[in-house]
Amino acid sequence: MLKKSLVLIGVTAAFYLQAQDISTIRNSIDVYSNTPMVGSSKFNAMVGSNGALGGDATSLLTNPAGLGVAIAGDVSATLSVTGNKNTSTLAGSSVNYNITKANIGNASGVAAFQLMTETPWKFINLGASISTQSLENYVETAGNTNISIPKNLVDGSGNAVVGNLAYLGHAYNRYGTQTKFNLGVGANYNNSLYLGASINMHYADLEQYDSANFGLDLDNTIYSFDKQYTPFSEKSNGFSATLGVIGKITNQFRLGASIETPTWWNIDRIYSDYYTGSDGLIYYDNFTEDRSFRSPMKATLSGAFVPSKNFAINVDYTLGLTKPKYKVQGAAETELNSFFSDSYKNLSEVKVGAEYRIKAFRLRGGYSYASSPFDAMTISAYSNNGQAGDTNYSDLILGARNTIGAGIGYDFGKFYVDAAYQNISSKYKNPFLSGNESFGTGYYSGDFDVATPNSVVSDVKNIRNNFFLTIGWKF
C-alpha cells in the first residue's frame, strides 16, 4: 500500500507508525491472523474450549479429531446477535459508539459412518462448518485543542504564512465481513484414539476509513482530512489446514493436540492516494494492488476430565509458533515485516469450558484469556497539554482479551435448542495522527496536507456482548 515509503534499518516503533497506516498493522492481526471462532451456542458458551472433548462439527474450529468422537449425525444452525461498544477517552473526554449486528453466525454438520468390520476402527466421520462474523468497528476520539500543528501556507496574495492547526477529533471506521469454511474427516480407533484433519477456507471483505478534523487559526475554518492511502478496501481469500489427535488416558481423562498451518492469504486492494502535481496542486486518485500475507502457525494442547455422563470440563492452551509475514514486493512489506519481527509477541490463549447435564437440561460456562499481541513500544506522542515526547506504551494498537461465556440447552431427543451469552472485553492504547511529510504519509484534503511525527494516543475500552441461539437435529 505504501509504495513511496522509505526503508530504514534499526529504527524504533515510532518510525513504523509514521511510515505505515495503523489500520494495516491492526488488520494484519485482528482480521488476517484471528479467524472467526463463532460456533454453536454450546461451543460459544464454553468459549470454544472443546479440544479434548469433540463430538460435533464445531470441533473443526479447534481440533478436527473431535469429529471422530461423534457416534451419530448432527446438523445445526446458529443465530448470532453481536453488540460492539467502543469508548475512546482522551484528555478526560470520552466518546461512546455502539454497533449491533444479527446474522447466521454458524451452520455445521457431521455425518457418522459406523464401520461394520472386525478391525479396531469404529467410525469414519465427515464434518463441515461455516462461521461468519462482522468486522464492523468504529472508534471516535474527541479533540484536544492543546494539540496544535504548525503549517506553512500561502495566503490569497501569494505570501508565505504560518498557520496553526488545532486537533479537533479523529475517527477510525471499518466495515466488512469475515468467513471461515472448514471441511474435515475424523476417525475413531477402538473408542480410545481419535484422529482428524481439515482444510480451511478463509474469506474477508472490508472497507477502512481514517479521518481527522483540524481547525486553522488563520481563518477559523474547520478542515476534514483523510489519512494517506485511505479509504481503502480489500477482498481476500486464504487457505490453511489442521491436524489433530485425541487420546483417552482413562475413561475419565482425555488429552488432545492440534496444529493449524499458517493461513496463506491473497489480498486484492483498492486504495486512495493524494499526490502533488507538477503545478503544486494536490490531486486524488484510486489505485489497485495485490498482497500476499502469511498468518502465524498455531498449536493447541487440550485436556478434559469427564467423571460421569453428566459433567465434563475442558482446558485448551493455544500458542502461536511463528510471526505474521508479508511477501516482500516493495518497501512497505519490508517495513511491516520488520515491525512484526521487532514488536509482535506470539499468540498465547487459555480457554476453560464446562458442561453439566440435569436430565435433558444443559448448563454451560467458560472463560478465556488471550494475551496482547505486541510488546511494549516507545513512540513519540502528544501529552494532554500538547507537549510531544517519547512515551512507552503497553497494549498499543491491540490489547489482551477476556471472554466470559454462559449458556443453557434442552435436548428433546432428535432435536435440541441451545442459547448462549458471551462478554468479551479488552483495553488498548489507540495511536493515530502520526505521519511523515517526506514519505507522504500524513493526512490530506483537497487544499493541503498535515504531517506530524507525533501520535495522539487515546485509551479505548471495547466491550462485546454477544447472544446466540442454536437449533439442531440429530440423526
Side-chain angles (χ1 to χ4, degrees):
M1 180 176 69
L2 306 182
K3 298 301 188 183
K4 300 177 182 178
S5 56
L6 174 67
V7 179
L8 300 178
I9 304 301
V11 294
T12 66
F15 163 74
Y16 299 113
L17 299 189
Q18 293 173 29
Q20 297 289 346
D21 174 22
I22 295 297
S23 60
T24 298
I25 296 173
R26 179 182 285 115
N27 291 344
S28 298
I29 307 304
D30 191 31
V31 177
Y32 297 117
S33 299
N34 186 26
T35 56
M37 293 293 284
V38 179
S40 65
S41 293
K42 174 183 177 181
F43 179 90
N44 299 330
M46 296 173 65
V47 297
S49 179
N50 70 351
L53 290 175
D56 59 32
T58 57
S59 302
L60 292 166
L61 298 173
T62 308
N63 184 350
L67 288 177
V69 178
I71 58 175
D74 185 307
V75 293
S76 68
T78 299
L79 174 66
S80 174
V81 180
T82 59
N84 183 6
K85 178 182 179 181
N86 284 310
T87 302
S88 181
T89 302
L90 178 70
S93 297
S94 297
V95 180
N96 299 317
Y97 194 83
N98 292 279
I99 303 168
T100 301
K101 292 283 185 178
N103 68 336
I104 301 299
N106 179 267
S108 59
V110 58
F113 300 94
Q114 186 172 7
L115 302 179
M116 309 301 290
T117 66
E118 299 299 324
T119 71
W121 294 101
K122 305 298 184 181
F123 284 88
I124 296 291
N125 301 333
L126 300 177
S129 174
I130 184 168
S131 297
T132 301
Q133 67 183 24
S134 171
L135 295 175
E136 185 167 349
N137 197 28
Y138 181 80
V139 180
E140 182 178 341
T141 303
N144 180 1
T145 55
N146 290 331
I147 298 172
S148 183
I149 302 170
K151 177 65 180 178
N152 294 322
L153 297 169
V154 177
D155 64 16
S157 302
N159 299 315
V161 294
V162 177
N164 289 293
L165 290 159
Y167 161 67
L168 299 181
H170 176 267
Y172 159 87
N173 200 359
R174 184 179 69 194
Y175 300 95
T177 303
Q178 187 175 10
T179 302
K180 183 179 182 182
F181 176 69
N182 311 86
L183 185 63
V185 58
N188 176 336
Y189 182 83
N190 204 31
N191 294 319
S192 60
L193 180 67
Y194 307 91
L195 304 173
S198 70
I199 56 174
N200 317 305
M201 281 72 77
H202 308 253
Y203 308 92
D205 187 348
L206 64 86
E207 296 180 22
Q208 186 85 54
Y209 298 83
D210 186 329
S211 59
N213 288 337
F214 294 90
L216 181 62
D217 62 353
L218 296 178
D219 57 6
N220 295 319
T221 300
I222 296 176
Y223 292 86
S224 181
F225 294 78
D226 289 323
K227 175 72 173 176
Q228 177 70 303
Y229 308 112
T230 69
F232 66 79
S233 63
E234 296 179 348
K235 293 183 181 295
S236 312
N237 62 82
F239 170 85
S240 66
T242 309
L243 296 173
V245 60
I246 297 174
K248 279 188 178 180
I249 308 305
T250 68
N251 286 334
Q252 290 78 36
F253 290 97
R254 303 178 188 179
L255 294 178
S258 64
I259 187 165
E260 183 175 357
T261 69
T263 301
W264 289 276
W265 286 94
N266 293 313
I267 304 171
D268 293 321
R269 301 170 49 82
I270 301 175
Y271 65 93
S272 302
D273 188 0
Y274 290 86
Y275 58 93
T276 302
S278 58
D279 55 5
L281 299 177
I282 294 177
Y283 292 90
Y284 169 90
D285 209 341
N286 292 323
F287 298 88
T288 63
E289 66 175 357
D290 61 87
R291 274 185 169 169
S292 297
F293 176 75
R294 186 185 70 198
S295 73
M297 177 184 291
K298 302 173 185 177
T300 299
L301 299 177
S302 308
F305 177 55
V306 189
S308 69
K309 293 183 178 180
N310 295 325
F311 180 72
I313 185 170
N314 184 91
V315 179
D316 292 341
Y317 174 68
T318 299
L319 178 66
L321 304 179
T322 60
K323 294 189 176 186
K325 189 173 183 179
Y326 281 89
K327 180 182 177 181
V328 175
Q329 303 179 91
E333 291 82 15
T334 301
E335 290 167 4
L336 286 164
N337 290 342
S338 295
F339 176 82
F340 293 134
S341 177
D342 293 342
S343 303
Y344 178 80
K345 294 191 301 186
N346 287 349
L347 167 76
S348 178
E349 183 174 11
V350 177
K351 297 182 289 187
V352 181
E355 179 184 63
Y356 184 69
R357 300 181 178 184
I358 308 172
K359 295 184 179 180
F361 283 99
R362 309 288 188 258
L363 299 176
R364 305 178 180 108
Y367 171 77
S368 78
Y369 172 82
S371 63
S372 171
F374 297 116
D375 291 318
M377 289 178 267
T378 298
I379 64 173
S380 181
Y382 290 106
S383 64
N384 289 339
N385 63 11
Q387 298 299 310
D390 288 346
T391 307
N392 186 265
Y393 294 99
S394 298
D395 296 328
L396 193 68
I397 304 175
L398 291 168
R401 184 179 70 248
N402 292 274
T403 304
I404 298 172
I408 59 174
Y410 192 87
D411 189 345
F412 293 92
K414 288 292 186 180
F415 294 91
Y416 59 90
V417 177
D418 295 320
Y421 165 75
Q422 280 186 346
N423 175 271
I424 306 171
S425 61
S426 66
K427 296 180 181 180
Y428 62 93
K429 304 292 185 179
N430 176 41
F432 55 89
L433 208 64
S434 67
N436 190 295
E437 189 169 5
S438 299
F439 304 162
T441 56
Y443 283 73
Y444 282 76
S445 71
D447 299 299
F448 52 89
D449 67 300
V450 180
T452 172
N454 310 305
S455 293
V456 176
V457 181
S458 68
D459 294 294
V460 175
K461 182 177 182 180
N462 177 251
I463 300 293
R464 297 173 185 260
N465 291 300
N466 303 329
F467 299 88
F468 307 94
L469 179 66
T470 299
I471 298 176
W473 174 51
K474 294 181 288 186
F475 58 92

